[in-house]
Amino acid sequence: MPDTATPGLRMPSLAEAVPVWGRIAALSFGGPAGQIAVMHRILVEERRWISEGRFLHALNFCTLLPGPEAQQLATYVGWLMHGTRGGLVAGGLFVLPGLVAIMALSWIYALSGNVGVVAGLFFGLKAAVLAVVAEAVLRIGRRALKSAPMVALAAASFVALFLFDLPFPAVVLAAGFFGYLGGRAGLPQFRVGGGHGATGTAKAGPYLLGDAALPQEREAPARTLLTAAIWGALWLLPVAAIVGLVGSGEVFGQIALFFSKMAMVTFGGAYAVLAYVAQQAVGHFGWLRPGEMLDGLGMAETTPGPLIMVTQFVGFLAAFRNPGGLPPLLAGTLGGLLTTWVTFAPCFLWIFVGAPYVERLRGDRALAGALSAITAAVVGVILNLAVWFALHTLFARLEPVAFGPIRLDLPVLASLDPWALLLALGALVAVFRFKAGVIPTLAACSAAGILLHLAGLAG
């Protein structure tokens, strides 16, 4: 056994870990907020595979990367436990349910123009996800905000994003800079988990991967170069082959190039780039009609997996409507799969190349302070995403307003959906008052949404 385990706990085999990663993937609703909460509950509290500090350290690193941080977090923890194979299993399974679900819904959408009764299921799921996300904000906030500077950084992050629409990377890097200075100065408030001791309901240790445990794979320049070469080739060679075969002006060449570029700049997750993707897909390429991006976002928000999976829907419709000599459904399927590949292949590259070096730097006081501050900023980011999701779930219309430098979307009160509000309140009561689990809450709200749709009241 590698020297990764805390005495008294047994490292599960990769085969034993697969069902757990599958469970996490099946429950990964609610965007990054809900997904990170599910992983924290299962990996830290239930299975005790990874300590609080290690989980937050990994989350901080993934937050700095382009791409979906929750999927990369799963890849990171899988890599910590079982090396590259574990990262592939954890990260791959995290994507699989959403890939299958959105592909099936894309077929339905392309053939019928809507998702029928599935719209009612979506309606109920959105309400339930609000409760999951609210719990995530509180759960992660209790564990990350243990000193006044951390609370201030979280609040400043939320204000910067929600009111001033500042770029996500700038907010995170600014928090990291302050944390670096605080950590370098030796201030206890900027230590990982520092400030006022542990809070929350999670027990203290032991963990399979405690704060002092070593990863299965260590950093080595030769391994790093080989890993970068392999994953760079897996990502970019198919792109080069497609562009060389069909040209950059055909739909498959456009998909390969456009979404490969997106994989490099998707800092802050899906919400940070969806406006640009929609603008290009509708206005520049003509792949989608106005409003269809929101339909795709509805699919991604209410199916398991990263929200960036909405790009699969875009790629599907792009190829479905421009099939060339292929049957439209086959072209759409290939377009969706191509989009997903060039979106997620880079995620494995970032983790497998960078994680060994990030692990090596865990003991650096200044870096620890920077990452601790980034954790606090991430709480503000998650709160911002939660508010964004709530507004778009409960209100049919939002109006952009500006007050000097302040830019935000205010809900049109008359567009409040009373059924969505009722379901959301019911889900909140179930989660916070009766401690209902994620699956029962999602199932109950989904059933209610379908009934409301069949009654002509929603969806």
Side-chain angles (χ1 to χ4, degrees), residues 28-30 35 97-98 101-102 105 122 125 298-306:
S28 59
F29 294 92
Q35 293 156 4
I102 290 182
L105 293 172
F122 283 175
L125 275 177
M299 294 181 191
E301 285 174 335
T302 50
T303 53

Side-chain angles (χ1 to χ4, degrees), residues 304-403:
L307 290 180
I308 201 68
M309 287 297 296
V310 68
T311 58
Q312 179 179 281
F313 173 73
V314 176
F316 179 96
L317 285 187
F320 177 83
R321 290 168 176 166
N322 303 276
L326 297 174
L329 283 176
L330 175 60
T333 301
L334 293 175
L337 292 176
L338 173 60
T339 302
T340 299
W341 177 255
V342 298
T343 298
F344 287 98
C347 297
F348 294 100
L349 171 63
W350 315 142
I351 296 298
F352 293 151
V353 169
Y357 295 92
V358 172
E359 280 295 304
R360 182 182 181 183
L361 294 171
R362 278 190 302 114
D364 184 273
R365 187 172 66 180
L367 178 64
L371 294 180
S372 200
I374 290 170
T375 298
V378 167
V379 175
V381 172
I382 294 174
L383 178 59
N384 177 62
L385 296 181
V387 173
W388 189 96
F389 185 77
L391 291 176
H392 284 78
T393 298
L394 299 177
F395 296 90
R397 289 197 303 125
L398 302 176
E399 292 289 345
V401 296
F403 304 100

Side-chain angles (χ1 to χ4, degrees), residues 177-375:
F177 175 72
F178 283 112
Y180 177 86
L181 296 179
R184 189 174 181 180
L187 299 178
Q189 296 92 337
F190 288 90
R191 295 173 189 162
V192 175
H196 302 292
T199 61
T201 58
K203 302 174 183 177
Y207 295 97
L208 183 62
L209 290 169
D211 291 343
L214 297 174
Q216 187 177 89
E217 295 180 358
R218 316 291 173 80
E219 80 285 351
R223 180 194 290 271
T224 299
L225 291 174
L226 180 60
T227 300
I230 290 173
W231 280 98
L234 288 172
W235 170 26
L236 296 175
L237 284 182
V239 175
I242 290 170
V243 172
L245 184 64
V246 303
S248 60
E250 297 297 322
V251 67
F252 287 104
Q254 292 173 337
I255 289 172
L257 289 173
F258 177 68
F259 288 109
S260 289
K261 294 175 184 176
M262 286 298 96
M264 300 290 292
V265 298
T266 51
F267 295 96
Y271 292 123
V273 295
L274 282 181
Y276 178 70
V277 172
Q279 180 187 45
Q280 294 296 304
V282 176
H284 180 67
F285 293 109
W287 292 337
L288 276 70
R289 291 186 284 268
E292 288 184 330
M293 191 72 184
L294 286 178
D295 293 336
L297 181 59
M299 294 181 191
E301 285 174 335
T302 50
T303 53
L307 290 180
I308 201 68
M309 287 297 296
V310 68
T311 58
Q312 179 179 281
F313 173 73
V314 176
F316 179 96
L317 285 187
F320 177 83
R321 290 168 176 166
N322 303 276
L326 297 174
L329 283 176
L330 175 60
T333 301
L334 293 175
L337 292 176
L338 173 60
T339 302
T340 299
W341 177 255
V342 298
T343 298
F344 287 98
C347 297
F348 294 100
L349 171 63
W350 315 142
I351 296 298
F352 293 151
V353 169
Y357 295 92
V358 172
E359 280 295 304
R360 182 182 181 183
L361 294 171
R362 278 190 302 114
D364 184 273
R365 187 172 66 180
L367 178 64
L371 294 180
S372 200
I374 290 170
T375 298

Side-chain angles (χ1 to χ4, degrees), residues 126-165:
K126 286 183 181 180
V129 165
L130 278 179
V132 173
V133 171
E135 185 193 29
V137 174
L138 294 176
R139 180 187 298 271
I140 297 173
R142 281 197 301 265
R143 288 160 173 76
L145 308 181
K146 298 178 181 178
S147 65
M150 297 295 109
V151 174
L153 282 171
S157 173
F158 173 77
V159 170
L161 292 167
F162 186 73
L163 294 183
F164 296 97
D165 197 25

